[in-house]
Amino acid sequence: MQTAVIRFPGTNREKDVVMALEHATGHAPRVIWHKDASFPDVDLIVLPGGFSYGDHLRAGAMAAHSPVMKEVVRQAEKGVAVLGICNGFQILTEAGLLPGALLRNAGLKFVCRDVCLRIETAESPFTTGYQNGQVIQVPVAHHDGCYYADDEELKRLRDEERIAFRYCSAQGGQDNRSNPNGSRDEIAGILSASRRILGLMPHPENATEPLQGSTDGSGLFDGLTRALN
Amino acid sequence: MKARIHVTLKPGVLDPQGKTISHALGALGFEGVEEVRQGKYLELDLKESDPEKARAEVDEMCRKLLANTVIENYQVEIEA
């Protein structure tokens, strides 16, 4: 499986993603600077976390309209899988590849801690490495992660089983600490209608080595590798 | 020609910053504030001299970049 990781000015989590992808696929991803003229043939494009363009105007807004994103949209239309993590999720919503928007955290603070996620659907290349209802522990690190979609959009996401991950307690339920940012319907990650695009606020790439305190994120990268090979 | 743009959160979209400002005003003794909604204000200097063309262009700018119409409304004033 060949992969590409896109880097914008202000991206800062690309190395973490590169390590996780290399570990899972056995191949080093191509790291694409946003101004690179050519785009490689790949099976998966990753938009990593960070603060592209300093979060100016709105998080992800500037990156979403950069030339390289036009290429990402073209690739996505061809069926190439796209994964947006944290700032990458914000960019995907701003670019219109995923519905909704990410607002300032309800508690107004930058939240950096481990959270628990419940796998809501294993029916996607991104979640096929997990079981429905499985609870995993991965970190979040963001200021603008409060997922918002209007009632109609939320209903569509639920009806089409496109909510991939929900924040939950360690037991899989809800408590007053489980939702770190006030996201509607506890949403941590969603799929496109094609199920080939995933955006999520948490960082599965930072839970792929025992040293990181959890290896629960490996399921995403290992599952992806099996699904896309 | 100048364009003045107000970008505001749609009704129903959570505005924790507005809520915090409202609490702060209450703490300062301003008890008559029922709700605060925080938004953005942008001023654009435009080359265009036809107000109708300027408005159409700024409207497109708002839809494409300056506002996120999933969560925000915008209002444009054109000043000759």
Side-chain angles (χ1 to χ4, degrees):
Chain A
M1 178 171 100
Q2 298 302 321
T3 61
V5 176
I6 314 276
R7 206 157 60 86
F8 299 96
T11 297
N12 63 13
R13 296 288 189 117
E14 75 278 12
K15 285 185 181 157
D16 312 52
V17 168
V18 164
M19 279 179 69
L21 286 173
E22 192 164 0
H23 191 254
T25 67
H27 302 285
R30 290 279 301 275
V31 178
I32 310 291
W33 177 239
H34 71 121
K35 283 187 169 166
D36 286 357
S38 67
F39 203 90
D41 253 349
V42 292
D43 307 294
L44 169 75
I45 298 168
V46 183
L47 302 169
F51 300 87
S52 58
Y53 298 90
D55 279 354
H56 294 337
L57 192 64
R58 295 178 305 276
M62 297 295 155
H65 300 286
S66 67
V68 75
M69 276 308 292
K70 288 198 176 72
E71 184 60 32
V72 172
V73 171
R74 263 197 296 276
Q75 299 284 333
E77 281 166 358
K78 274 178 20 192
V80 172
V82 180
L83 168 63
I85 302 171
C86 197
N87 190 221
F89 185 14
Q90 295 161 341
I91 294 168
L92 289 175
T93 59
E94 283 282 345
L97 284 172
L98 289 174
L102 281 315
L103 304 172
R104 180 53 45 96
N105 292 345
L108 292 174
K109 289 199 172 86
F110 190 97
V111 179
C112 182
R113 65 171 167 91
D114 284 337
V115 296
C116 290
L117 303 178
R118 193 173 59 239
I119 313 302
E120 299 293 348
T121 173
E123 295 293 318
S124 80
F126 306 96
T127 51
T128 182
Y130 298 114
Q131 306 287 322
N132 281 335
Q134 186 180 342
V135 175
I136 61 170
Q137 185 189 307
V138 293
V140 290
H142 60 248
H143 208 167
D144 299 285
C146 175
Y147 183 75
Y148 174 85
D150 63 22
D151 293 342
E152 195 183 332
E153 193 63 61
L154 268 188
K155 184 176 181 312
R156 188 174 309 133
L157 289 172
R158 285 191 206 119
D159 291 351
E160 296 175 4
E161 298 188 357
R162 287 164 52 196
I163 299 168
F165 304 100
R166 279 196 173 94
Y167 299 110
C168 67
S169 67
Q171 289 73 39
Q174 251 75 53
D175 62 32
N176 58 8
R177 238 181 87 81
S178 53
N179 186 339
N181 51 34
S183 288
R184 284 200 84 181
D185 208 10
E186 325 288 328
I187 288 173
I190 55 165
L191 294 158
S192 63
S194 68
R195 308 184 92 74
R196 304 287 291 180
I197 304 173
L198 171 76
L200 78 168
M201 286 313 295
H203 289 277
E205 77 280 18
N206 292 128
T208 55
E209 300 276 350
L211 197 61
Q212 294 168 324
S214 166
T215 56
D216 290 356
S218 299
L220 188 149
F221 297 99
D222 294 343
L224 254 181
T225 307
R226 282 196 301 275
L228 299 182
N229 255 336
Chain B
M1 183 157 284
K2 248 191 174 50
R4 303 178 197 280
I5 307 162
H6 283 95
V7 180
T8 51
L9 283 174
K10 286 183 175 177
V13 176
L14 204 66
D15 181 12
Q17 295 176 97
K19 203 164 264 181
T20 304
I21 295 164
S22 168
H23 289 157
L25 288 172
L28 285 171
F30 297 104
E31 283 161 10
V33 181
E34 289 185 349
E35 197 187 9
V36 176
R37 304 282 285 171
Q38 183 179 301
K40 289 188 188 104
Y41 172 69
L42 299 101
E43 256 180 30
L44 274 56
D45 279 318
L46 303 168
K47 280 185 191 156
E48 182 60 61
S49 55
D50 177 341
E52 282 313 302
K53 280 187 190 160
R55 179 174 295 280
E57 195 180 17
V58 172
D59 192 65
E60 194 181 352
M61 290 179 199
C62 288
R63 278 183 285 114
K64 282 195 171 163
L65 179 67
L66 301 179
N68 178 344
T69 54
V70 173
I71 48 168
E72 293 168 332
N73 291 324
Y74 61 86
Q75 266 186 317
V76 179
E77 287 169 48
I78 302 287
E79 190 186 286

